[in-house]
Amino acid sequence: MIMKAAVMTGVGRPLEILAVDLAEPKANEVLVKIVATGVCHSDLNALNDEKTPTPTILGHEGAGIVAAVGPNVSKVKVGDKVALSWVPYCGTCEFCVTGAVHLCESAFGPMFAGTLLDGTCRLSKEGEKVYHNSLLSTFAEFAVVPEMSCVKLPDEMPLAQASLIGCGVATGYGAAVHAAKVTPGSTVAVFGIGGVGVNAIQGARIAGASKIIACDVKPANLEIAKKFGATHTVNVAEDNVEAVLKALTNGFGVHFAIDCSGHTGATETAWKSVRKGGTVVAVGAFNPTMSLSIPAGGFHRVGKILKGSFYGDTQPFRDFPAIAQLYLDGKFMLDELVLDRINLDDINKAFDAFHDCSCINVGRSVIELSEQVAANVIDEYEEFEVVS
Ligand SMILES: [Zn+2]
Ligand SMILES: [Zn+2]
């Protein structure tokens, strides 16, 4: 099938709207008609990364409609609305069988190689290979993705909002609900109010926290944090965070601190700011060359827990439908995260916005594409359909 896609042709260059060939889905793969896709800061990082294989189609936050399925696909059927996860998992390795599917290693080799799980590509242009990104490549009219990336959502779920679930939303929500395991009535500090931080606030709110304290250097981010459920804010650049958090918690410190900032200094402050028996979750991506410095006395007699979290300990097939249902029930804010809706042809405007310091860094520009699947595509892929 020939489709329109925004192609990364070289490091740092504007994406080019080109016709790209997409092969049929193989076993355990799904052809998805992309209807909405968020433009994430990680896409900008990939665009500027010398290690990104090119040409490639970026985009790892997507939602759409299943257009065809390859052999052995059982989780979705043609016509299902799906949100995509960029962390597919095997389901059989030592990590998966104990429930830690977010730590499955099956996706990372293919992810860095720019292929699908079997090490090959379905994308090409005039016979030349075009690489996948995050096993999804959603900046296109269609994508062939692993079945394990494809999570069915309720039919009434709007797809622009659904497209955001699979990245910062799930990571932040999961960091609070699954990694920290925030309890009703507890106090929670969230460090770093961006695309992950606001959703950690939402997760803490839904988990029933009594106080949610947003900590950031930008006053604008702190104002946004209040809209998403923060009960208090601390400007890290101006105030002594540890002192403020202790003052808000009868001198004990917070029960949970969730550091979404990726700065080791914030994690160190978080460690000092949790009470005895409290938990710090570090979900932001640190520079791997950095080291943490925390007083060792917090472990033995004080009983604090320091936990790393990748992808918010998310289990996509458990958490994506749960988040969608919370949204549909009016309990989870996703509309507010859709900052802008643009066409695929204008995708470079969304990348330009990352360089504009006045732009809000909470939420996304969402690319919207037609929901219509051309009749010739249906015919072309019919033999692969499994209609239950
Ligand atoms: Zn993302
Ligand atoms: Zn696995």
Side-chain angles (χ1 to χ4, degrees), residues 243-263:
V244 173
L245 293 178
K246 287 189 172 165
L248 287 168
T249 52
N250 299 324
F252 292 122
V254 291
H255 294 87
F256 302 97
I258 301 166
D259 182 13
C260 310
S261 74
H263 294 290

Side-chain angles (χ1 to χ4, degrees), residues 14-96:
L15 303 184
E16 293 182 44
I17 304 298
L18 299 172
V20 174
D21 198 33
L22 181 63
E24 64 207 27
K26 292 188 179 177
N28 305 114
E29 293 175 354
V30 177
L31 175 74
V32 177
K33 171 73 191 83
I34 302 296
V35 176
T37 172
V39 182
C40 177
H41 206 276
S42 299
D43 293 307
L44 178 65
N45 293 345
L47 180 63
N48 290 327
D49 189 342
E50 301 279 348
K51 296 193 291 295
T52 301
T54 55
T56 185
I57 299 172
L58 301 176
H60 60 274
E61 302 183 356
I65 298 166
V66 173
V69 297
N72 303 332
V73 168
S74 60
K75 286 188 175 294
V76 291
K77 62 182 190 304
V78 172
D80 281 350
K81 271 190 179 180
V82 292
L84 303 178
S85 164
W86 55 271
V87 192
Y89 58 93
C90 72
T92 57
C93 74
E94 186 161 331
F95 297 97
C96 284

Side-chain angles (χ1 to χ4, degrees), residues 65 68 75 103 146 148 193 203 212 233 249 281 294 343 354-355 358 365 374:
I65 298 166
K75 286 188 175 294
L103 299 180
M148 295 304 278
I193 309 304
I212 304 170
T233 61
T249 52
V281 169
I294 54 173
N343 295 320
F354 288 124
H355 300 294
S358 65
S365 292

